[in-house]
Amino acid sequence: MAFQDFDKIQERVNAERKRKFRKRIILGFVSALVVVAAIIGGAFAYVTYGNKTHEQAKTTNNKTKDTPKKSESPSQKPPSSAAQTVKPGQVDKIIQTLCHSTLYKPVCEKTLKNGTKKDTPLSDPRRLLESAIVAVNEDLDRVFKKVLSLKTENKDDKDAIAQCKLLVDEAKEELGTSAKRINDTEVNNFAKVAPYLDSWLSAVMSYQESCVDGFEEGKLKTEIRKNFNSSQVLTSNSLAMIKSLDGYLTSVPKVKTRHLLESRSLAVQTDHTTSWLSKKERRMLKAVDVKALKPNATVAKDGSGKFTTINDALKAMPAKYQGRYIIYVKHGVYDESVIVDKKKANVTMIGDGSQKTIVTGNKSHAKKIQTFLTATFVAQGEGFMAQSMGFRNTAGPEGHQAVAIRVQSDRSVFLNCRFEGYQDTLHAYTHRQYYKSCVIVGTVDFIFGDAAAIFQNCDIFIRKGSPGQKNTVTAQGRVDKFQTTGFVIHNCTIAPNEDLKPAKAQFKSYLGRPWKKHSRTVVMESTIEDVIDPVGWLRWQETDYAVDTLFYAEYKNDGPSGATASRVKWPGFRVIKKEEAMKYTVGPFLQGEWINGIGSPVKFGLYEA
């Protein structure tokens, strides 16, 4: 009986302990809720207080308005130190500062003043750049309506208008992305997004120029160029303002502010976009065993893979795929036109070797196809990577412009690849591109376009073309001096192809010629064989076009034609020193943090000791 009584007492004790334990849990939970509520309430009070203070100031200055205007939520506009410094009287001064370095200052000031009317009072100077980009977008709509209204029965002109529509759509998409991303970071960290804005707006300028270039010389082309002038002026101003705005925001005293969760999440998003490759992706660049990479899709002509064509493998890629999508393309010659479109980001294609896995085609301008559309392979999706692949156009010298590959993928990488063609082999069209240990073969302008591209440790071979033809390695197409584009040939070898060696005396060859007014090409620490004429560079169609506005530079090249004593005496050509050459190495020239930390195989600095 005693033991029975003890058991009952113990049961009550245990029940009491459980009750107290549950009570402590409940109290702890309630306390946590109170703390969270206090934090949220504090954040809400902070924002409310700021808004209330702002509204009280407005009420004091305007006694006639009894109802305060509803303020913007913190998720739309995170608090920032610069936002607190802008006063109505300062707006005109900020506009003058941002427009000071532009090429079209009166247009810039007018655009920004019109923009402030839509966003009054101005609370953040970034809104000025945003309004400038929106103005470009609106003007492009107006311009293209005029282009569509132009009457023509010529098939080539109709094709050019259709191509122009595609390019304008590309431009408008990147303008929209630019306007949206301006406010993605805190004011004091605007420098993080600036390189992306430079890349996107430089591409917008290229798209507009390509639209005009699609038309044959004549009255219609003159009219088209005239129509696009206004949007190109606005784009130029927007590009110039990026650096001015960055400088202005940097000069504003930094004030410690209380950051809400939303602003913190935006900062995290921006950090994510500025990272380039993960450790796994870096290993991928060094990998020898392709199968160990566990590709998402395997392509094989002999049926040993899941797909027999590259296009089928791309079609099977899931929409909005997260992460890097790896396509292994087994040895074989794939005669197909391939487009990795913008919706397919972070695609990697790996072959069995640049002369074993080859994508080939033969479209050419001689077949009445626009040069832009002759590409055998097109890389548009952001973050495209290719390794041990070959890209070829077999139209021959009689095909004239015939592109093997067109690249407009931002932050794209090509490693151990081969590009073969004659005229216009590699169209490095837009955005930031990096080529390592590649082989590029061609005749006239065979590396052309308006990308920010670095070719590092590549072999560049000039081949035998049509009789009487002059060969040019590059034709860089920078239109505006504020574009952050250009070609850098670094630690490469420029030499005659086997078919040209016995006939190189019959074909004069040059490092490049200025396709556009602000053409920019730098050749440094490279070996230049005697296939290149001692003058180095060629005029555009025997005229003085762009010789005073281009930027052609050389630094510490060697080889039989590496000496610069006999180079052209143009105002735009120079032999640069080490300090300036450093600006055209991988980190500074390709802008931002997207390529930082990759390690091998990238060389970040100069090769000299």
Side-chain angles (χ1 to χ4, degrees):
M1 191 70 181
F3 286 108
Q4 290 177 350
D5 289 344
F6 177 79
D7 289 342
K8 290 180 180 178
I9 293 170
Q10 189 63 38
E11 285 177 7
R12 287 197 297 270
V13 170
N14 290 341
E16 181 66 17
R17 284 177 179 173
K18 289 179 181 179
R19 186 183 65 78
K20 289 181 179 180
F21 181 69
R22 285 197 298 269
K23 184 177 181 181
R24 283 198 296 270
I25 291 177
I26 293 170
L27 286 173
F29 181 71
V30 171
S31 298
L33 287 177
V34 170
V35 171
V36 172
I39 292 172
I40 296 173
F44 178 79
Y46 172 78
V47 176
T48 305
Y49 174 78
N51 291 338
K52 185 176 180 182
T53 302
H54 176 68
E55 297 304 334
Q56 285 174 346
K58 285 174 65 179
T59 305
T60 302
N61 294 330
N62 187 1
K63 299 286 186 179
T64 61
K65 293 185 179 179
D66 297 326
T67 305
K69 186 177 179 180
K70 187 177 181 180
S71 62
E72 197 167 8
S73 68
S75 64
Q76 293 172 304
K77 191 186 294 182
S80 61
S81 58
Q84 297 171 1
T85 65
V86 180
K87 298 176 182 177
Q90 291 180 313
V91 175
D92 287 344
K93 184 178 263 188
I94 296 173
I95 288 174
Q96 289 175 5
T97 300
L98 298 187
C99 292
H100 178 71
S101 62
T102 61
L103 296 176
Y104 312 99
K105 189 174 178 180
V107 176
C108 178
E109 291 182 351
K110 182 180 178 181
T111 303
L112 297 190
K113 286 177 181 178
N114 287 339
T116 58
K117 293 176 183 177
K118 300 175 184 178
D119 184 29
T120 305
L122 179 71
S123 58
D124 189 333
R126 291 175 299 178
R127 290 296 178 93
L128 291 169
L129 177 56
E130 184 181 355
S131 68
I133 294 171
V134 169
V136 181
N137 213 339
E138 291 174 350
D139 195 68
L140 269 180
D141 282 333
R142 180 190 60 79
V143 168
F144 194 64
K145 283 180 182 177
K146 280 192 174 182
V147 172
L148 289 175
S149 69
L150 297 173
K151 303 298 182 184
T152 178
E153 297 301 323
N154 184 285
K155 184 183 181 301
D156 290 340
D157 289 340
K158 288 182 177 180
D159 289 344
I161 289 174
Q163 176 182 304
C164 191
K165 184 183 185 307
L166 294 174
L167 291 166
V168 168
D169 287 343
E170 293 269 13
K172 286 178 64 61
E173 182 178 341
E174 302 211 8
L175 285 166
T177 302
S178 299
K180 183 180 178 182
R181 286 288 306 279
I182 285 173
N183 299 301
D184 269 8
T185 59
E186 299 172 36
V187 173
N188 293 331
N189 288 327
F190 177 75
K192 286 188 176 182
V193 78
Y196 292 84
L197 298 176
D198 281 328
S199 181
W200 293 327
L201 293 180
S202 291
V204 169
M205 184 69 81
S206 300
Y207 295 142
Q208 294 175 75
E209 189 69 12
S210 295
C211 182
V212 177
D213 285 344
F215 295 87
E216 297 294 333
E217 293 296 334
K219 185 177 179 181
L220 182 61
K221 183 171 183 174
T222 301
E223 184 67 21
I224 297 289
R225 181 169 290 283
K226 181 180 176 182
N227 285 329
F228 270 98
N229 182 66
S230 58
S231 59
Q232 287 183 310
V233 165
L234 292 171
T235 307
S236 174
N237 283 344
S238 297
L239 274 164
M241 284 173 59
I242 295 170
K243 192 170 184 179
S244 298
L245 179 59
D246 191 19
Y248 172 79
L249 293 175
T250 302
S251 68
V252 173
K254 295 183 180 180
V255 179
K256 289 185 178 180
T257 57
R258 184 180 174 197
H259 303 296
L260 299 182
L261 293 176
E262 180 66 21
S263 65
R264 289 179 61 190
S265 67
L266 288 171
V268 170
Q269 289 172 15
T270 304
D271 289 341
H272 174 72
T273 59
T274 54
S275 64
W276 184 41
L277 297 177
S278 66
K279 289 182 180 178
K280 180 181 177 181
E281 291 164 341
R282 291 176 219 163
R283 289 196 300 271
M284 188 185 304
L285 285 173
K286 306 173 193 177
V288 177
D289 185 1
V290 178
K291 294 180 181 178
L293 294 174
K294 297 180 181 179
N296 301 89
T298 299
V299 181
K301 289 186 72 67
D302 61 7
S304 60
K306 187 175 181 180
F307 305 97
T308 56
T309 70
I310 298 171
N311 279 313
D312 284 344
L314 284 169
K315 287 176 185 176
M317 180 178 174
K320 299 180 180 180
Y321 183 82
Q322 298 296 313
R324 187 157 287 280
Y325 195 81
I326 304 170
I327 300 175
Y328 169 37
V329 187
K330 289 188 174 183
H331 65 88
V333 178
Y334 296 83
D335 190 353
E336 53 180 315
S337 296
V338 178
I339 298 178
V340 182
D341 64 46
K342 276 196 168 185
K343 294 179 181 178
K344 293 176 172 59
N346 299 318
V347 170
T348 294
M349 283 193 190
I350 301 178
D352 283 329
S354 64
Q355 296 192 74
K356 293 181 178 179
T357 300
I358 300 168
V359 189
T360 190
N362 61 3
K363 294 178 183 177
S364 71
H365 192 265
K367 295 179 179 178
K368 300 298 181 181
I369 301 172
Q370 296 272 344
T371 302
F372 187 80
L373 301 177
T374 62
T376 300
F377 191 101
V378 178
Q380 293 178 324
E382 185 176 357
F384 178 79
M385 291 169 55
Q387 182 174 348
S388 303
M389 296 274 294
F391 305 91
R392 182 185 290 170
N393 191 311
T394 60
E398 63 276 7
H400 303 294
Q401 296 95 326
V403 179
I405 186 170
R406 183 175 89 239
V407 184
Q408 56 193 89
S409 164
D410 191 25
R411 298 176 294 155
S412 52
V413 177
F414 293 84
L415 178 64
N416 295 328
C417 290
R418 184 180 181 91
F419 310 93
E420 287 185 57
Y422 285 83
Q423 183 171 351
D424 292 357
T425 301
L426 170 54
H427 192 179
Y429 184 35
T430 55
H431 299 116
R432 293 166 289 181
Q433 307 174 14
Y434 177 72
Y435 299 78
K436 177 78 173 186
S437 301
C438 292
V439 175
I440 309 162
V441 185
T443 55
V444 179
D445 305 338
F446 62 97
I447 303 174
F448 79 111
D450 193 21
I454 289 185
F455 302 87
Q456 198 173 83
N457 199 36
C458 294
D459 289 329
I460 300 172
F461 293 124
I462 302 171
R463 71 196 310 177
K464 182 179 178 181
S466 299
Q469 193 175 65
K470 292 180 180 179
N471 295 320
T472 42
V473 175
T474 66
Q476 205 282 327
R478 191 168 66 135
V479 182
D480 185 272
K481 76 172 189 175
F482 291 111
Q483 286 180 284
T484 54
T485 57
F487 295 160
V488 178
I489 297 174
H490 189 197
N491 195 47
C492 295
T493 297
I494 300 173
N497 199 47
E498 288 301 320
D499 62 344
L500 182 60
K501 283 181 179 179
K504 63 184 178 183
Q506 303 169 31
F507 297 86
K508 284 198 170 186
S509 300
Y510 304 86
L511 295 172
R513 60 176 181 161
W515 181 28
K516 298 296 178 180
K517 190 175 180 180
H518 293 277
S519 180
R520 177 162 62 178
T521 302
V522 179
V523 183
M524 57 188 193
E525 296 187 308
S526 294
T527 298
I528 305 175
E529 299 292 349
D530 60 359
V531 66
I532 296 296
D533 191 275
V535 300
W537 306 84
L538 182 66
R539 294 176 184 271
W540 184 262
Q541 298 179 345
E542 308 300 328
T543 68
D544 286 336
Y545 173 74
V547 297
D548 56 346
T549 53
L550 57 78
F551 182 91
Y552 286 164
E554 295 184 51
Y555 174 74
K556 286 201 172 182
N557 297 314
D558 58 21
S561 289
T564 56
S566 300
R567 290 293 194 256
V568 293
K569 307 303 179 186
W570 303 341
F573 171 77
R574 64 207 70 184
V575 178
I576 58 178
K577 296 182 179 180
K578 181 178 180 178
E579 293 72 23
E580 192 167 6
M582 282 295 296
K583 297 177 183 178
Y584 298 98
T585 54
V586 169
F589 189 65
L590 292 183
Q591 296 187 315
E593 302 172 6
W594 69 282
I595 205 165
N596 286 346
I598 184 178
S600 178
V602 177
K603 176 69 175 178
F604 284 95
L606 296 168
Y607 280 84
E608 65 179 6

